[in-house]
Amino acid sequence: MDKKNENLSRRNFVRNSSMATGGIILAPSILSASPFFKKEKVLKLAVIGCGGRGTGAVSQALKADENVKLVAMADAFQDRLDGSFENLSKMFDKNRLKVKPSKKFVGFGSYKKAIDEADVVILTTPPGFRPQHFEYAIAQGKHVFMEKPVATDVVGIKKVLETARLADEKKLNVVVGLQRHYQRSYREIYNRIEQGDIGNIVSGQVYWNSGGVWVRPRKEGMTEMEYQMRNWYYFNWLCGDHILEQHIHNIDVANWFIGEYPIKAQGMGGREIRNGKDHGQIFDHHFVEFEYASGAVISSQCRHQKGCLNRVSETFQGTLGTSNTGGGKTRLTSYSGDKIYVHDGENDKNPYQVEHDELFASIRSGGHINNAENGAKSTMTAILGRMATYTGKQVTWEEAMNSNLKLVPDEDSLTYDSIPPVVLDASGNYPIPIPGQSKLV
Ligand SMILES: NC(=O)c1ccc[n+]([C@@H]2O[C@H](COP(=O)([O-])OP(=O)(O)OC[C@H]3O[C@@H](n4cnc5c(N)ncnc54)[C@H](O)[C@@H]3O)[C@@H](O)[C@H]2O)c1
């Protein structure tokens, strides 16, 4: 097969695996068979994980379709659930927020009770719990919006991939919060790359360099489990490190635009500045080279250090030209300097809203969106990068998948007195990966 055809067939594969745009695949013959075909039919919504994103996603779901009503909420903590409900009450009237006190569920295991109440569920807890919540939601026949990343370990990735197949069989809609797939600027660039405007991508640079995120300090009386659950960003079993939690967005764009997932990675990283008592075990910087079967190499940087150059964007070099996305510069340029395309974002819609607009339109029309396989494989790409920086070794996709790394305990076995998967050592520190010494983590 020549290079052009090879590229084309790779892209077709990717398109068929629902990775391309997350767009709606309509099946007209089953339109009227959708139980939600009639707009008057109420769609019952539940949210699992009532933090910042959960609250935002509920608001977007309620705006997407006038007959969506929130009927159940679940959170690990009462104060988070109450805060979310209060915020939503300022935005929507009572007719949309039909959550009886008995349908506000709190604690480990609360997800099942809330999912049971709904037609559509929003899964927005820390990502460690996502595979278990997704598995239950699909088993119960619910449509899903779930945030990225979709897991923190390999066992979780495999569960999501298996559940994604079941969602296909059951024709359930699943949107994953990798919102660049729902952002007009990225879709425009993707379509032009796919039609060959910059040729084959041979290299690229993807960045999430910022000052970092919140820290939730330990409070007197907290058990170790409560502390880790509140300060979840800094514990790998819950968060997966910031290479997953934020940088997945940019890594996912590389996979999407190149049209495949990497076969190996090597890199370096550490915790140089953000290394205090409340910073758990994650690194504050990672640099990874991802290599693809086509020969393309992507350099990936993510940094959480204040006072440094901030950059959240993606750049790719093709055989005919370059692509820039993010950071306010969305364009394709030829090597002679001509602009092939410059995106005018003036009338672009908020991609967080578009995710829900398309999800609910698809549910109503009997369509089928399923982003879960790509969500799992892009999460796995970030895990591969983490394995490379934590070990300091070259790690292949196959080795990583075969590792069967498991970080997250069964949620149904947890209480606030349980001992978490990582604990402080005798010197008062959490175990921190050491390149050259650590095993695949
Ligand atoms: N796509 C995006 O741009 C974007 C933006 C922000 C957050 N997110 C993602 O959304 C998810 C949540 O992030 P956030 O910023 O809302 O965090 P958050 O801390 O504000 O909210 C998480 C909530 O989940 C609750 N929770 C934890 N474990 C639970 C469990 N087992 N059952 C029920 N509730 C549980 C917590 O108590 C908390 O209220 C993360 O995966 C994050 O990566 C995505």
Side-chain angles (χ1 to χ4, degrees):
M1 206 184 297
D2 66 27
K3 226 13 196 171
K4 196 173 164 202
N5 285 335
E6 225 175 72
N7 199 35
L8 216 74
S9 71
R10 206 172 62 229
R11 289 192 189 292
N12 283 342
F13 165 75
V14 164
R15 196 183 308 110
N16 291 339
S17 67
S18 308
M19 175 183 176
T21 61
I24 300 172
I25 302 164
L26 284 176
S29 59
I30 57 162
L31 280 187
S32 51
S34 166
F36 305 113
F37 182 52
K38 291 207 167 99
K39 276 263 176 201
E40 316 79 73
K41 170 103 172 112
V42 169
L43 278 164
K44 291 183 278 174
L45 180 71
V47 55
I48 322 301
C50 310
R53 190 74 270 279
T55 309
V58 169
S59 139
Q60 279 125 19
L62 295 179
K63 286 179 193 153
D65 184 300
E66 60 187 20
N67 259 333
V68 174
K69 295 185 197 273
L70 183 67
V71 299
M73 301 172 82
D75 199 280
F77 298 108
Q78 186 77 52
D79 59 308
R80 301 302 311 267
L81 189 152
D82 292 344
S84 172
F85 190 73
E86 205 182 308
N87 284 335
L88 288 165
S89 301
K90 290 177 194 152
M91 293 184 261
F92 297 94
D93 77 41
K94 286 191 180 123
N95 180 40
R96 309 298 302 283
L97 304 175
K98 307 289 268 185
V99 195
K100 295 182 190 143
S102 62
K103 305 299 176 195
K104 293 178 177 170
F105 304 104
V106 172
F108 289 114
S110 57
Y111 70 98
K112 285 187 178 166
K113 295 177 197 147
I115 289 171
D116 287 348
E117 298 293 325
D119 304 308
V120 186
V121 298
I122 288 175
L123 306 180
T124 41
T125 64
F129 297 114
R130 197 97 65 244
Q132 195 162 350
H133 295 178
F134 182 47
E135 182 184 45
Y136 186 75
I138 296 300
Q140 301 308 309
K142 314 297 178 175
H143 299 282
V144 172
F145 170 81
M146 63 174 166
E147 264 306 342
K148 44 45 69 174
V150 301
T152 57
D153 60 16
V154 176
V155 168
I157 294 288
K158 288 182 176 171
K159 186 172 287 207
V160 173
L161 286 171
E162 201 182 303
T163 306
R165 285 190 283 275
L166 196 59
D168 276 341
E169 275 171 33
K170 294 186 167 191
K171 299 251 178 313
L172 292 167
N173 287 278
V174 183
V175 166
V176 173
L178 289 163
Q179 70 272 13
R180 284 159 179 74
H181 290 263
Y182 293 84
Q183 191 163 345
R184 195 167 74 88
S185 54
Y186 281 86
R187 286 177 166 184
E188 291 286 345
I189 292 287
Y190 170 77
N191 288 336
R192 286 172 167 76
I193 289 178
E194 197 197 31
Q195 79 197 15
D197 284 13
I198 61 162
N200 289 342
I201 291 174
V202 292
S203 59
Q205 300 76 38
V206 297
Y207 309 90
W208 193 299
N209 290 340
S210 73
V213 302
W214 49 260
V215 175
R216 295 172 185 153
R218 196 185 292 272
K219 287 191 183 149
E220 220 183 298
M222 276 182 175
T223 62
E224 179 64 24
M225 179 58 94
E226 176 175 356
Y227 169 65
Q228 293 194 15
M229 289 283 288
R230 296 265 188 196
N231 200 27
W232 61 265
Y233 208 97
Y234 299 93
F235 296 94
N236 277 328
W237 68 282
L238 289 162
C239 166
D241 204 316
H242 66 112
I243 188 170
L244 264 77
E245 207 280 333
Q246 284 186 319
H247 192 36
I248 183 177
H249 284 297
N250 322 98
I251 291 172
D252 170 62
V253 171
N255 292 343
W256 179 23
F257 285 7
I258 292 173
E260 50 181 335
Y261 302 93
I263 52 168
K264 56 185 165 186
Q266 68 86 24
M268 59 184 80
R271 37 191 275 148
E272 205 174 332
I273 290 159
R274 190 179 56 189
N275 53 13
K277 264 190 175 318
D278 279 317
H279 302 144
Q281 48 172 181
I282 69 172
F283 280 4
D284 65 2
H285 64 285
H286 303 254
F287 179 95
V288 183
E289 279 178 358
F290 290 104
E291 205 176 313
Y292 292 74
S294 62
V297 177
I298 298 297
S299 305
S300 120
Q301 292 183 27
C302 59
R303 175 170 59 204
H304 275 183
Q305 293 173 352
K306 291 187 173 52
C308 304
L309 174 71
N310 289 341
R311 179 177 286 173
V312 179
S313 64
E314 307 85 20
T315 306
F316 301 101
Q317 293 79 42
T319 45
L320 303 175
T322 62
S323 154
N324 287 84
T325 42
K329 271 191 261 157
T330 296
R331 65 189 57 180
L332 298 175
T333 316
S334 77
Y335 286 118
S336 60
D338 297 336
K339 301 277 181 293
I340 303 169
Y341 175 74
V342 179
H343 184 72
D344 170 9
E346 179 129 346
N347 297 315
D348 287 3
K349 282 192 180 164
N350 177 353
Y352 291 100
Q353 186 59 51
V354 178
E355 286 173 334
H356 289 269
D357 292 350
E358 295 193 5
L359 171 63
F360 284 94
S362 181
I363 294 171
R364 286 289 185 201
S365 65
H368 183 219
I369 303 174
N370 188 354
N371 304 155
E373 181 185 345
N374 177 58
K377 290 184 176 173
S378 277
T379 302
M380 187 59 214
T381 309
I383 291 177
L384 179 69
R386 184 187 73 201
M387 286 175 162
T389 61
Y390 281 7
T391 60
K393 305 255 170 31
Q394 177 167 277
V395 185
T396 67
W397 180 281
E398 212 183 330
E399 279 165 351
M401 288 300 279
N402 287 340
S403 73
N404 279 329
L405 174 75
K406 181 169 164 59
L407 302 176
V408 190
D410 177 354
E411 179 178 335
D412 300 343
S413 71
L414 297 178
T415 71
Y416 287 106
D417 292 319
S418 303
I419 296 172
V422 288
V423 288
L424 291 164
D425 64 20
S427 59
N429 296 308
Y430 293 101
I432 289 156
I434 304 174
Q437 294 177 31
S438 291
K439 302 216 164 64
L440 287 189
V441 274

